[in-house]
């Protein structure tokens, strides 16, 4: 019976926004209640908690409520913080560049060069399948490739390109970024492909009829129209890379650090207040980046 | 326009390379997991055998793999069902434009972009300070929902943006109540998309590592167990585990695709055009 009253209110026709019965609001709220509860309990409260704890103090054995700026003062005064943040931004920028380049090319091929819808969907699914398997397994799977005796080194040795195994293939910035590109390119492909599929094909014909070359069509027609997809992909890739700690730890062999690792190291030492302070700074940075990116695209319109 | 331009072949080659890049490493560890008993983590293969798979099934020294697998499975199903129900309700709610929908929308975006370790840390802190024990079915469950719900909702938004309200009007004109309209008109039409939501919900939960790290308590889920193994296991047994979990993931995708396919067949037989023009 409650369900009946819940959904009894008819959905508001877009054309008549003024004539709203109070019951309609109520139905909307009731439907949104579970969602709001989950996000309130497990997203908003945790963020508030982190902000509060970031002002707490800690001894070697325990943490205690306080209101002091020691954690922030320590972070701002430490060289490590700047180096680690620099490293985080470096990873994010390089990964973004590669995923964008690869993601755009792949999506462009699927959307404009594959002609039948069935093939488009089939090939698109083929790209998304690895996304459904474990990230950690996908990271481990690089080891037989990149190690000192891995496939890459033995191939290069046997071709005579190098005469000594390359050490920088595994446990280096190179392997970290490679893993990032491997894990996250899909987050670029999907939104870009999605926007490209909605581009009116007659626009391209018009451009060709007006004498545009292939490159001109791509650069002056497709890229501008694909911008929303590129922005959404960028938001995904940048935030995933900035918040990551496991890929960096694993693929760098614990040699490199980013902000996520800084936080997870503090957590491992039970230094929750200082982990929280770092987390707050990371959150502010990420939200600033998102804020800037959202100026270029209205995501509600893109759904 | 019948002959393909040269750029097609260049791009097709690029796409092929991309697929090799995506799948190559996984295939490599699949092959390496069939190493002989003396085999190591790299090529060359030292014999072929099922030794490392047997190891996985017999030896308990590698950890509680089957227990963690069971927990991940149950948790994945819990998250899947919750994600479907809450996403559909949320999707319906957003069609009504209730007051506060803007705030809620930005919360969803925040849930999507917030670094997962922050959720883990925050939920862990709250449970710790409230004196509640962290457990995969409570704190872990909630923490995972903050990641699966946004995906489910984005799909629902996309679905309802393309939903023709004429179907509902017709149902109402025929005298259907609000609930009947939802049950017999809306839900059947959006059913194929719900399979997508289910697939997202299950697999995102099944693979989630960061959000479960501080919220799972003393009983590990499978990703946590695998991560533990990466730090202390140096035999191909970990490749065998990787191969098995990958096969399992493919099975799950296969099952979901099969459901979609059977639904399509049933519809075609029943002569209904429900769901057409949805994708």
């Amino acid at each position: 019976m409650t369900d009946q009253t819940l959904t009894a209110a008819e959905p508001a026709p877009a054309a008549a926004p003024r004539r709203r019965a109070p019951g309609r609001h109520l139905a909307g709220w009731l439907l949104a209640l579970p969602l709001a509860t989950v996000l309130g309990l497990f997203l908003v409260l945790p963020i508030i908690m982190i902000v509060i704890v970031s002002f707490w103090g800690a001894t070697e054995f325990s943490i205690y409520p306080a209101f002091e700026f020691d954690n922030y003062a320590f972070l701002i005064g430490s060289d490590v913080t700047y180096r680690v943040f620099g490293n985080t931004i470096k990873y994010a920028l390089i990964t973004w560049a590669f995923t964008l380049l690869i993601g755009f090319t792949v999506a462009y091929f699927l959307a404009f060069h594959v002609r039948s819808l069935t093939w488009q969907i089939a090939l698109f699914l083929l790209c998304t399948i690895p996304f459904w398997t474990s990230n950690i397994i996908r990271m481990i799977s690089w080891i037989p490739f990149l190690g000192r005796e891995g496939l890459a080194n033995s191939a290069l040795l046997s071709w005579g390109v190098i005469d000594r195994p390359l050490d920088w293939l595994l446990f280096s910035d190179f392997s970290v970024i490679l893993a990032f590109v491997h894990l996250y390119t899909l987050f670029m492909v999907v939104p870009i492909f999605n926007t490209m599929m909605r581009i009116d094909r007659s626009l391209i014909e018009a451009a060709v009829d007006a004498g545009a070359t292939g490159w001109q069509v791509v650069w002056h027609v497709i890229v501008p129209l694909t911008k929303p997809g590129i922005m959404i992909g960028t938001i995904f890739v940048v935030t995933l890379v900035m918040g990551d700690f496991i890929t960096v730890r694993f693929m760098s062999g614990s040699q490199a650090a980013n902000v996520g690792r800084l936080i997870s190291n503090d957590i491992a030492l039970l230094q929750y207040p200082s982990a929280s302070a770092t987390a707050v700074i990371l959150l502010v940075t990420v939200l600033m980046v998102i804020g800037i990116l959202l100026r270029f695209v209205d995501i509600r319109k893109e759904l | 326009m019948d002959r393909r331009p040269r750029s097609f072949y260049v791009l097709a080659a690029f796409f092929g390379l991309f697929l090799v890049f995506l799948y190559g490493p996984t295939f490599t560890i699949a092959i390496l997991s069939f190493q002989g008993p003396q085999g190591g983590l790299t090529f060359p293969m030292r014999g072929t055998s099922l030794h490392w798979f047997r190891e996985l099934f017999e030896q308990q020294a590698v950890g509680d793999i089957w227990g963690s697998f069971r927990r991940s499975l149950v948790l994945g199903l819990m998250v899947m069902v919750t994600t479907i129900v809450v996403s559909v309700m949320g999707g319906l709610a957003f069609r009504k434009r209730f007051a506060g929908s803007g705030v809620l929308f930005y919360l969803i975006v925040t849930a999507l972009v917030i670094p997962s370790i922050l959720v883990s840390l925050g939920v862990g802190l709250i449970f710790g300070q409230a004196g509640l024990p962290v457990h995969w079915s409570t704190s872990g469950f909630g923490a995972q929902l903050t990641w699966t719900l946004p995906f489910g909702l984005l799909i629902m938004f996309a679905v309802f943006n393309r939903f023709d309200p004429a179907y509902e009007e017709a149902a109402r004109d025929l005298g259907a109540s609000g609930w009947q309209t939802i049950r017999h008109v809306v839900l059947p039409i959006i059913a194929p998309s719900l399979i997508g939501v289910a697939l997202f919900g299950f697999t995102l939960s099944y693979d989630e590592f960061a959000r479960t790290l501080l919220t799972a308590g003393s009983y590990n889920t499978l990703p946590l167990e695998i991560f533990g193994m990466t730090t202390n296991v140096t035999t191909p047994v970990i490749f065998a585990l990787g191969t098995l979990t990958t096969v399992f993931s493919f099975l799950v995708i296969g099952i979901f695709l099969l459901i979609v396919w059977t639904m399509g067949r049933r519809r075609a037989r029943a002569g209904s055009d429900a769901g057409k023009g949805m994708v």
Side-chain angles (χ1 to χ4, degrees), chain B residues 31-96:
Chain B
I31 295 169
L32 284 174
S33 60
F34 291 98
Q35 287 263 29
Q38 261 72 56
L41 287 174
T42 52
F43 286 103
M45 297 279 284
R46 296 202 175 83
T48 52
S49 73
L50 292 174
H51 177 82
W52 302 105
F53 288 95
R54 268 201 301 276
E55 195 89 331
L56 203 57
F57 278 90
E58 280 166 7
Q59 196 193 45
Q60 283 307 303
V62 283
D64 184 16
I65 291 171
W66 299 103
S68 61
F69 172 72
R70 216 170 39 241
R71 286 187 282 275
S72 275
L73 200 63
V74 173
L75 182 58
L77 291 173
M78 280 164 60
V79 169
M80 179 182 91
V81 173
T82 317
T83 305
I84 296 175
V85 174
V86 177
S87 304
V88 171
M89 289 176 74
L92 288 169
F94 271 92
R95 294 173 82 197
K96 294 183 195 294

Side-chain angles (χ1 to χ4, degrees), chain A residues 9 25 29 126 132 145 246 279, chain B residues 23 28 96 99 118 203 207 227:
Chain A
H25 260 310
W29 278 331
L126 206 57
W132 306 108
F145 258 94
I246 174 82
Chain B
Y23 286 87
T28 318
K96 294 183 195 294
L118 295 198
T203 47
D207 288 336
F227 181 71

